[in-house]
Amino acid sequence: MVYIWNDPSEVPADFGPSVVTFGNFDGVHRGHQQVLSQLIRSARRNGTKAVAVTFDPHPALIHRPESAPELIMGLQDKLDALGELGLDAILVLKYSLNLASLTAEEFVGQILVDSLHASHVVIGHDARFGRGNSGDLETMKQLGEKFAFDVQVISEFGSEGYPLHDDDGENRRCSSTWVREALKEGDVATAAAVLGRPHRMRGEVVHGAARGRALGFPTANLASNASGLIPADGIYAGWLVDQAGTRWPAAISVGSNPTFDGVSRQVEAHVIDRPHEDVEDFDLYGQTVVVEFVARLRGMVAYRGPEALVDQMRLDVVQAHDLLVRR
């Protein structure tokens, strides 16, 4: 069981000692996973608790909302991904100007030491923390001496110790920026390589224009407030995970339906092996589902009428099925 706290006041007074790290962890990519895996190993060796501290909302949304990056995943998916790694607890700090005003020493003293009783702090060599990002690795080492905790410095996954390459064949450090770049290009395969799993979106299934159903390809349309970064327009092979946890292979459309002069971007998934193909029994409306993107099949194209579109959709479904089910 992973304890999730939304405020330091929720941490039990007798909790700890603990091994702690902190960060935004957007995407919980392989770099984050390496940090957290080392944290968990350290906690197990020392007989302590493994804790990750993260922030919601992303600090950039508070300090520079006009240029804040799009989030790779929503909070629930981040907590799920963090919890799957084997942490004992996650502290979600509500990020605000008040929190940002804490000095490096106040942040470490109040959050890591007083609340979480840190005996070890795991930190990247380039980590920054405290008011104006004034705290760095050297600051943490000094605070470790003051507050009697050990500091463990680690390198993230990527150019060191793992052969992940960019388009030029160069080793590249795993990062949330790399994931965002790949998704913006529709390169969900590279995004999955950096993430260590397929990129996913989560949202409620809502009623759409029902064009897919009229064409013989009913789709589950995600609500406009679905969490997770929307990949580039196109057709993808992937999975739909329903509210019961059942995984269904799917052909996923991202775009504005240019054949029908659509305007707003939509994410809609056609479940391939749904039960009762010819009846209305497979009803996902109102469910919160997860859509996972495995491979991009093609870009979005405006076809000359519904017939040409239906022919292409049949090919898309076969290709998606072959990729997901028959491989």
Side-chain angles (χ1 to χ4, degrees):
M1 176 180 176
V2 182
Y3 293 101
I4 298 175
W5 303 306
N6 295 295
D7 188 87
S9 64
E10 298 178 7
V11 181
D14 60 352
F15 182 82
S18 64
V19 180
V20 183
T21 193
F22 56 91
N24 293 309
F25 303 119
D26 187 26
V28 194
H29 56 64
R30 297 179 97 151
H32 298 141
Q33 292 167 34
Q34 176 162 316
V35 172
L36 295 165
S37 294
Q38 293 191 38
L39 176 143
I40 292 166
R41 287 196 296 271
S42 178
R44 301 296 176 261
R45 283 196 306 268
N46 291 283
T48 56
K49 304 295 186 182
V51 183
V53 178
T54 190
F55 307 98
D56 183 61
H58 192 291
L61 291 170
I62 301 298
H63 294 294
R64 44 185 176 85
E66 71 288 344
S67 59
E70 291 187 67
L71 295 182
I72 297 167
M73 56 172 39
L75 178 60
Q76 184 58 57
D77 282 312
K78 179 165 70 171
L79 294 176
D80 288 348
L82 289 171
E84 290 167 1
L85 299 176
L87 291 165
D88 295 301
I90 304 166
L91 172 59
V92 182
L93 292 178
K94 179 175 176 57
Y95 196 85
S96 64
L97 293 178
N98 284 338
L99 181 65
S101 70
L102 295 179
T103 65
E105 182 170 337
E106 288 170 339
F107 172 77
V108 170
Q110 294 177 23
I111 307 299
L112 306 190
V113 177
D114 292 346
S115 294
L116 298 172
H117 306 108
S119 61
H120 295 72
V121 173
V122 176
I123 187 172
H125 67 278
D126 58 352
R128 308 292 299 208
F129 58 97
R131 183 190 304 157
N133 283 332
S134 59
D136 58 12
L137 174 57
E138 189 57 36
T139 309
M140 187 64 77
K141 289 179 178 178
Q142 294 169 4
L143 293 173
E145 294 179 1
K146 177 172 182 175
F147 291 113
F149 60 77
D150 292 331
V151 178
Q152 182 178 353
V153 185
I154 58 168
S155 297
E156 291 190 354
F157 230 36
S159 58
E160 300 177 18
Y162 192 82
L164 278 183
H165 309 293
D166 59 18
D167 291 340
D168 298 323
E170 299 294 328
N171 285 357
R172 181 172 179 180
R173 174 177 175 269
C174 288
S175 68
S176 301
T177 297
W178 192 1
V179 176
R180 293 186 190 102
E181 290 173 358
L183 293 175
K184 288 295 186 181
E185 295 171 358
D187 187 357
V188 294
T190 292
V194 181
L195 289 169
R197 65 183 179 283
H199 173 60
R200 62 184 59 162
M201 294 185 64
R202 180 189 299 267
E204 181 182 351
V205 177
V206 298
H207 290 274
R211 291 195 185 99
R213 184 173 298 278
L215 296 173
F217 296 89
T219 59
N221 300 270
L222 294 189
S224 59
N225 63 350
S227 64
L229 197 157
I230 303 177
D233 289 1
I235 305 299
Y236 298 84
W239 300 90
L240 182 147
V241 185
D242 64 24
Q243 206 157 274
T246 306
R247 293 169 58 84
W248 303 96
I252 306 161
S253 170
V254 177
S256 56
N257 295 314
T259 300
F260 298 97
D261 297 321
V263 177
S264 61
R265 297 183 76 212
Q266 295 178 313
V267 177
E268 33 189 332
H270 170 69
V271 173
I272 296 172
D273 289 336
R274 67 190 189 282
H276 311 297
E277 291 276 350
D278 297 324
V279 295
E280 302 292 321
D281 292 356
F282 193 56
D283 184 0
L284 296 174
Y285 290 121
Q287 289 194 31
T288 296
V289 302
V290 171
V291 173
E292 297 181 348
F293 298 84
V294 174
R296 191 173 194 236
L297 303 181
R298 62 176 176 86
M300 188 61 70
V301 177
Y303 289 91
R304 293 176 178 270
E307 294 80 8
L309 175 60
V310 168
D311 289 342
Q312 182 60 57
M313 292 169 73
R314 291 195 183 101
L315 295 175
D316 295 337
V317 168
V318 170
Q319 188 178 358
H321 189 272
D322 288 347
L323 192 152
L324 297 166
V325 179
R326 297 177 183 173
R327 62 178 177 177

